[in-house]
Amino acid sequence: MKLQRTNRLRAVALGAIAVSGALVLTACGSDDNSGGSGGDTTKAASKIKCDGEGKLLASGSSAQKNAMDIWTQTYQSACSSTQLNYKPTGSGAGIQEFLQGKTAFAGSDSALEPKEVQQSKKVCKGGQAIDLPMVGGPVAVTYNVKGVDDLVLDAETLGKIFDSKITKWNDAAIKKLNPDAKLPGTKIQAFHRSDESGTTDNFTKYLNTAAPGAWKHEPSKAWAGKGGQGADGSSGIATNVKQNDGAIGYVELSYATGNDLSTVKLDTGAKEPVEATTENASKAIADAKVVGKGKDLSLELNYKTKAESAYPITLVTYEIACDKGNKKESLNATKSFLKYTASEDGQKVLSEKGYAPIPDEIIAKVRTTVDSLA
């Protein structure tokens, strides 16, 4: 518990950024353009190779917004001729805008589906959309139960809670996992995303893979569970969990820490329950495999891992762009920005914001692929 509170306080001290609205930064920016010291930002910015000019439009994953904030601030401090506008509309909406030709790239917390790759060929003239893993991090299960400061759950119990099969906090299954906790008979209020979300896709992949008997629904960006209450975006879930006794939900770690929410420890079968931290998420991502074909670098995560300290509910956010056929007016700026986000400096800042950097072997492939975008 002491560790959990320390993690939350540390994240709050770092300053979680508000999660609503679009980020529109101009060349002037603000006086503080860093997630750390001004000197660190200036040093990182000095290494950026600026290219392209004008507006660079992108949208999608709200999970990466806090990372995109600091990336954009640093990039804009170096590249005054480009104005980046990233709207955290959610993965589903971001992909659709990209497929409609409205944006230069999109952010998604799950890899493109085959039908989306096929659709992308209309936008990517002579090519197709590809997945570039850029941000990692744990999906934290947050809760608000009066009198309960330390909670352990497993995949089966989570599946039953979010499918309305377990409805009270003092249910026998929860008691078994928390023998020393004073669990109240409070009704469980389970909150899920009302919008299509890659976070939902990853969360339900975990439930379906690790507890197929308890969660029989196919993984999807759209919520398929029974009952529960919908909330818009990660910020909506975080707000509802914080305001309602008996609530539980799933959000990226930065949203949990930014709202000072308690997080569930997972019983994965390892010796000790695993906490949602960036370090524990990195251990899970390191076990991922590249399964994409050609220049696509989509990953397959091991949701059933029992490795010590590996947190299995982990997502990877992809930047989605065309391998060939990117818009000429935004290609240079897109490559310049993505080169920075995939760089050592771009990845280094992630852990400071509650994210997990992409492992070296994978991010090296991302850098090579970004260089080849045409």
Side-chain angles (χ1 to χ4, degrees):
M1 176 57 200
K2 185 180 292 184
L3 176 60
Q4 187 180 54
R5 286 188 182 280
T6 300
N7 285 342
R8 293 203 302 265
L9 291 174
R10 183 186 298 119
V12 172
L14 287 172
I17 302 169
V19 295
S20 61
L23 172 68
V24 184
L25 295 174
T26 63
C28 296
S30 63
D31 292 334
D32 179 12
N33 286 327
S34 73
S37 68
D40 290 341
T41 296
T42 301
K43 184 178 180 181
S46 67
K47 299 178 183 179
I48 296 174
K49 183 179 184 301
C50 302
D51 204 354
E53 58 185 17
K55 293 183 178 180
L56 185 61
L57 304 180
S59 65
S61 166
S62 61
Q64 71 169 357
K65 182 184 180 294
N66 293 342
M68 191 62 73
D69 282 348
I70 187 62
W71 279 339
T72 302
Q73 289 172 4
T74 304
Y75 183 79
Q76 298 273 199
S77 70
C79 306
S80 60
S81 61
T82 302
Q83 294 180 337
L84 175 62
N85 180 342
Y86 181 81
K87 297 180 180 179
T89 54
S91 300
I95 289 174
Q96 287 307 308
E97 288 195 326
F98 176 78
L99 294 177
Q100 292 166 2
K102 296 180 179 179
T103 54
F105 67 91
S108 176
D109 306 327
S110 57
L112 291 164
E113 298 175 2
K115 64 179 181 180
E116 292 170 337
V117 174
Q118 188 63 34
Q119 291 173 7
S120 74
K121 294 179 181 180
K122 296 180 180 179
V123 177
C124 306
K125 304 301 183 183
Q128 64 183 43
I130 55 173
D131 301 286
L132 302 171
M134 201 71 73
V135 187
V139 176
V141 180
T142 62
Y143 68 96
N144 177 4
V145 183
K146 189 175 181 180
V148 180
D149 295 324
D150 196 2
L151 185 67
V152 176
L153 297 174
D154 58 15
E156 183 175 353
T157 306
L158 278 172
K160 290 179 178 178
I161 286 173
F162 279 92
D163 208 24
S164 301
K165 296 171 184 174
I166 292 178
T167 59
K168 299 286 186 179
W169 279 108
N170 61 355
D171 186 272
I174 302 177
K175 282 185 175 181
K176 184 177 179 180
L177 291 165
N178 300 272
D180 298 326
K182 295 181 180 179
L183 297 166
T186 308
K187 179 182 178 182
I188 294 176
Q189 298 186 63
F191 287 92
H192 58 263
R193 290 280 289 268
S194 59
D195 55 319
E196 287 198 5
S197 162
T199 309
T200 295
D201 192 29
N202 281 274
F203 182 59
T204 55
K205 280 179 181 175
Y206 165 72
L207 295 178
N208 182 262
T209 302
W215 186 266
K216 299 181 182 299
H217 309 287
E218 287 295 319
S220 173
K221 294 187 183 74
W223 185 254
K226 297 179 181 178
Q229 302 177 57
D232 186 36
S234 295
S235 58
I237 289 184
T239 298
N240 277 284
V241 171
K242 189 168 187 175
Q243 294 177 347
N244 292 280
D245 183 30
I248 187 170
Y250 57 93
V251 294
E252 299 74 36
L253 182 61
S254 61
Y255 289 84
T257 53
N259 287 278
D260 198 27
L261 294 171
S262 297
T263 59
V264 169
K265 293 178 182 176
L266 293 179
D267 183 345
T268 63
K271 292 180 181 179
E272 297 291 336
V274 184
E275 189 175 359
T277 67
T278 56
E279 294 84 0
N280 293 346
S282 290
K283 291 177 181 178
I285 296 173
D287 195 32
K289 298 178 181 178
V290 175
V291 293
K293 304 298 182 182
K295 294 184 178 181
D296 186 88
L297 297 175
S298 56
L299 304 176
E300 182 177 84
L301 298 169
N302 182 8
Y303 294 104
K304 298 176 71 174
T305 181
K306 294 183 180 180
E308 296 302 318
S309 300
Y311 186 81
I313 317 180
T314 300
L315 63 76
V316 171
T317 294
Y318 301 92
E319 309 311 333
I320 294 170
C322 300
D323 57 358
K324 296 180 181 178
N326 288 281
K327 295 180 180 179
K328 291 183 179 179
E329 62 270 25
S330 58
L331 173 60
N332 289 339
T334 297
K335 292 177 67 173
S336 173
F337 178 69
L338 294 182
K339 282 180 182 180
Y340 160 62
T341 63
S343 71
E344 184 177 345
D345 287 331
Q347 289 293 301
K348 182 179 178 181
V349 75
L350 293 179
S351 58
E352 299 172 8
K353 287 297 181 181
Y355 295 98
I358 301 299
D360 291 342
E361 183 179 349
I362 298 173
I363 202 66
K365 295 178 180 179
V366 173
R367 293 167 188 158
T368 300
T369 303
V370 170
D371 279 335
S372 71
L373 298 181

